[in-house]
Amino acid sequence: MVRRPLTPEQIEAGGRLGTALRQARGGRGLFEVALAAGISPETLRKIETGRLPAPSFGIVVSLSDVLGVPLADLADAWRAVAAIRDAS
């Protein structure tokens, strides 16, 4: 199965997700959070900087748990532009 390239909107949404996760991490170290979530620090760095705009659902769930951020809040960050566009 060939994976289709991400659309510009999906890449932008991944950037918003990364920003939300970075803000939720606050003063906690990247290494600490990554290990608690069961991922490598480099993977977390890529997600937070938008270089990995479509992390697996399992990774997002793990980060949600470790950071104490409701999964719905992360989904809202992902959907932010679509919601604004649809409201106008």
Side-chain angles (χ1 to χ4, degrees):
M1 183 167 126
V2 176
R3 183 174 176 173
R4 291 184 179 181
L6 296 175
T7 66
E9 292 81 13
Q10 291 170 318
I11 293 170
E12 187 177 325
R16 288 191 307 275
L17 175 63
T19 297
L21 290 168
R22 188 172 50 254
Q23 289 173 347
R25 184 166 57 84
R28 293 177 68 182
L30 184 130
F31 190 81
E32 169 195 349
V33 170
L35 291 183
I39 61 174
S40 73
E42 183 59 22
T43 296
L44 180 54
R45 184 178 292 109
K46 286 179 180 178
I47 294 168
E48 287 186 353
T49 61
R51 290 185 296 138
L52 180 57
S56 74
F57 182 71
I59 289 175
V60 176
V61 169
S62 293
L63 289 168
S64 170
D65 289 343
V66 167
L67 295 171
V69 177
L71 197 52
D73 290 356
L74 296 177
D76 287 345
W78 176 269
R79 292 188 292 251
V81 167
I84 292 167
R85 184 179 57 236
D86 293 344
S88 58

